Amino acid sequence: MKQQGLSSGILHHTIYHQGDHCDWMVFIHGAGGSSITWKHQVKAFKPFFNLLLIDMRDHGYSKDLEPEYSTYDFDIVTDDVLRTIDHVGLTRAHFLSLSLGSIVLQRLYDRRPELIESMIMAGGVFKADWKIRLFAHSGKFLSYFVPFRWIYDTFIMIVLPRENHAPSRRLYRLQSKKLTPTEFLKWLGLYRDFFSIVKRFYRRKLKTSSLIVMGGQDHVFLEAAQRFARKQAHHAELVVLEGCGHLCNLEEVQRFNDAVLRFLDKPVKPAA
């Protein structure tokens, strides 16, 4: 059964409910994306799980959300997600995040660890290299002189520079067109507490089973993910999908889905 909903203060969300006998899986997309990001995962995972797909504030169909804020931080974004989860009535679930969504998941883990059965982070962000730091600190300044679309496209090219990343770039550019300049600048402002959240999460000892799936061509975030996985070896498993970039769930659909299903002890469809 598929349900969709958006009420006051609640993020737009889509539910695929298979029955009370199934565990729940919650999907958190990245900045500039939407729940469409997970289109290749829905078919693969819904035979085994109840699915909750969320459009974060300003993304997809989550527009004009109350209350409004002049600036954002990760607690505001996390509050949105928690409000929606509580509205649906979930008390425990597997969480699957992509890119910046992993920071939201890290904040969820800080605040409500009892909600999280397991964490799966695709293109996980654990530290930022100098390119991302430079982009974050200069983006606000540049917004006074150049269209925000140029800034976003520059970020996309930094993270997904190769020719084989082009389909992922197109999808994210298409989805990001739903962001207004004002909304974009609010999300850009998240860099103010971005660094402190990833630093705190990187240093803490995990107590929840976690899977990190990275593209072998993710030149910005892969090295930090490898260091994090080594540091958290008792609770974090790392899978590197060679030949793809940051948005590994879009570029290597079958290999990504198989890695997640194996991690969650679900059957994997044999290769044709």
Side-chain angles (χ1 to χ4, degrees), residues 74 83 141 209 216 226 230 269:
F74 275 100
R83 221 171 12 250
F141 174 75
S209 181
Q226 291 171 326
R230 287 194 296 268
K269 184 177 180 181

Side-chain angles (χ1 to χ4, degrees), residues 25 27 38 41 45 49 94-96 118 120-122 211 213 237 239 249 253-266 268:
M25 181 179 287
F27 295 77
W38 306 109
Q41 280 68 60
F45 297 161
F49 301 97
H94 305 280
F95 283 77
L96 176 52
S118 69
I120 303 153
M121 290 174 270
L211 174 68
V213 187
E237 176 186 343
V239 172
N249 71 304
V253 174
Q254 190 64 53
R255 287 197 290 162
F256 176 84
N257 292 347
D258 288 352
V260 175
L261 289 172
R262 287 193 188 97
F263 172 72
L264 296 173
D265 294 322
K266 300 300 180 182
V268 174

Side-chain angles (χ1 to χ4, degrees), residues 218-234:
D218 192 342
H219 67 105
V220 177
F221 299 112
L222 176 57
E223 185 180 344
Q226 291 171 326
R227 292 198 304 269
F228 179 80
R230 287 194 296 268
K231 185 174 184 291
Q232 304 284 354
H234 291 296

Side-chain angles (χ1 to χ4, degrees), residues 37 53 67 72 79 86 134 139 145-146 157 164 184 189 235 264:
T37 297
L53 292 87
Y72 293 163
D79 283 342
D86 291 342
L134 178 62
F145 305 100
V146 300
M157 285 304 301
N164 60 299
F184 172 80
H235 286 93
L264 296 173

Side-chain angles (χ1 to χ4, degrees), residues 111-182:
R111 294 177 52 180
R112 297 270 292 273
E114 71 280 1
L115 268 177
I116 301 173
E117 179 73 26
S118 69
M119 294 188 289
I120 303 153
M121 290 174 270
V125 179
F126 300 97
K127 280 192 175 181
D129 75 351
W130 67 269
K131 292 185 286 290
I132 297 302
R133 288 179 179 272
L134 178 62
F135 174 83
H137 290 297
S138 62
K140 183 76 172 180
F141 174 75
L142 291 174
S143 68
Y144 293 107
F145 305 100
V146 300
F148 89 96
R149 179 62 50 198
W150 293 7
I151 301 172
Y152 187 82
D153 285 351
T154 299
F155 174 74
I156 289 291
M157 285 304 301
I158 290 172
V159 175
L160 298 165
R162 300 196 184 199
E163 184 177 348
N164 60 299
H165 304 163
S168 298
R169 289 198 301 267
R170 284 195 295 270
L171 177 63
Y172 252 67
R173 280 173 176 150
L174 181 63
Q175 290 302 304
S176 71
K177 288 180 179 178
K178 294 184 178 181
L179 285 172
T180 68
T182 299

